[in-house]
Amino acid sequence: MTTTHTPMPTTRREVDLQRANEQLRQAILDKKQAQIEAWSAQIEHMQQSLQSVADSVRDETEKRLAELRQARDQARVQLEGLQQATQDSWESLLQQSDNFFQDLSMRFHEFVTKQS
């Protein structure tokens, strides 16, 4: 990955803008990390509730949980990519991860509503 160096800010306004951009970036990363943690908790909860269901339902549910775990792990990779993104690649990677997180969120919602 090629890193481009952003010139050091020279004015108070540039310093404030850079600080605001860094805070926004960190807030986005924190939100995505929290979502991954929430998905992990959901997976664990669903895994525990499998103990009381019939074998045929359990097998199908375990398969779906494995798919959700794999997707959650892909979300972690997306987050790591965002954390390492340069200023030039941030917007593109953010859009990709937003689309991925939205898709994964819908998959989790669909799975949970089918289990209810």
Side-chain angles (χ1 to χ4, degrees):
M1 178 185 278
T2 305
T3 307
T4 57
H5 297 316
T6 307
M8 292 297 295
T10 56
T11 67
R12 172 81 172 149
R13 184 176 186 281
E14 288 174 336
V15 169
D16 289 345
L17 182 58
Q18 183 179 14
R19 186 174 297 134
N21 285 338
E22 289 171 7
Q23 289 173 343
L24 176 60
R25 181 177 172 144
Q26 190 59 51
I28 290 168
L29 294 173
D30 290 346
K31 181 179 177 183
K32 289 184 182 295
Q33 179 63 40
Q35 183 63 64
I36 291 170
E37 291 171 7
W39 288 328
S40 294
Q42 278 186 303
I43 289 170
E44 182 61 32
H45 174 73
M46 289 182 275
Q47 183 69 46
Q48 290 175 1
S49 67
L50 279 179
Q51 306 308 318
S52 62
V53 297
D55 288 342
S56 61
V57 173
R58 184 179 309 132
D59 291 343
E60 180 60 30
T61 303
E62 285 179 345
K63 178 182 172 190
R64 298 275 319 271
L65 281 174
E67 292 170 1
L68 289 174
R69 280 188 195 96
Q70 182 179 13
R72 181 218 38 215
D73 293 344
Q74 291 173 341
R76 283 187 177 133
V77 170
Q78 293 262 334
L79 177 62
E80 290 169 6
L82 274 175
Q83 290 169 331
Q84 298 172 11
T86 64
Q87 190 70 26
D88 293 337
S89 64
W90 170 256
E91 289 294 325
S92 173
L93 290 174
L94 179 60
Q95 182 64 42
Q96 289 173 12
S97 76
D98 284 349
N99 292 339
F100 185 83
F101 272 65
Q102 184 177 7
D103 177 63
L104 186 52
S105 183
M106 288 188 304
R107 290 170 61 187
F108 263 91
H109 178 73
E110 177 184 302
F111 181 79
V112 169
T113 55
K114 284 184 179 180
Q115 297 303 310
S116 301

